[in-house]
Amino acid sequence: MNILSKFIPIPKPIEDKSSVASLKERLDWGEPALTIVDVRDRHAFNATHIMGAVSIPMNELVARAIAHLELIRDIYVYGETNEQTAEAASNLRAAGYENVAELLDGLAAWKAIGYPTEGFSAALT
């Protein structure tokens, strides 16, 4: 343990499955080297999504990720269900992405804790 970690809590490295609290801890820490990917359809994304997430629908996921994200980038992915999230993470890993976390319970868990969201529905609440 280095001396700084005694004073500045450093978030744990990315794991295959991640809680929303772990992601929020990284965001609060100021970790810039991550991307949050929402694989739901654009209508659902536009309605509400995790603040800072990018929309890459499932049918475009691998092609757009390869075009825009480094293979070593930390990626937190979520979908409509944990099954869709797991499928998206599996597709990214098969494409060569090394650091992919399935955000467990996705947007529902994020909203249940009261973390910030964006979108048309978020603006109305």
Side-chain angles (χ1 to χ4, degrees):
M1 177 182 280
N2 69 37
I3 193 144
L4 282 180
S5 63
K6 291 181 182 180
F7 302 105
I8 303 170
I10 297 174
K12 293 184 273 187
I14 193 167
E15 298 176 342
D16 287 348
K17 296 181 187 288
S18 179
S19 69
V20 295
S22 293
L23 172 56
K24 183 71 164 76
E25 180 181 307
R26 263 191 89 176
L27 292 170
D28 288 347
W29 183 64
E31 175 62 55
L34 66 87
T35 300
I36 305 167
V37 175
D38 183 325
V39 298
R40 300 172 306 141
D41 66 52
R42 283 207 170 74
H43 178 74
F45 177 85
N46 290 339
T48 188
H49 57 270
I50 292 173
M51 185 172 281
V54 296
S55 175
I56 308 179
M58 186 70 95
N59 63 335
E60 303 171 14
L61 180 60
V62 172
R64 286 194 44 210
I66 288 172
H68 299 287
L69 301 172
E70 310 87 17
L71 291 175
I72 59 169
R73 181 124 184 121
D74 286 0
I75 300 172
Y76 289 80
V77 63
Y78 70 95
E80 198 68 44
T81 63
N82 283 336
E83 292 76 20
Q84 185 184 44
T85 299
E87 180 184 348
S90 177
N91 291 346
L92 288 170
R93 291 180 188 121
Y97 286 89
E98 301 172 14
N99 304 314
V100 179
E102 299 168 32
L103 194 57
L104 299 174
D105 300 319
L107 181 62
W110 188 266
K111 289 170 74 173
I113 296 176
Y115 293 155
T117 59
E118 301 175 298
F120 297 128
S121 297
L124 298 175
T125 57

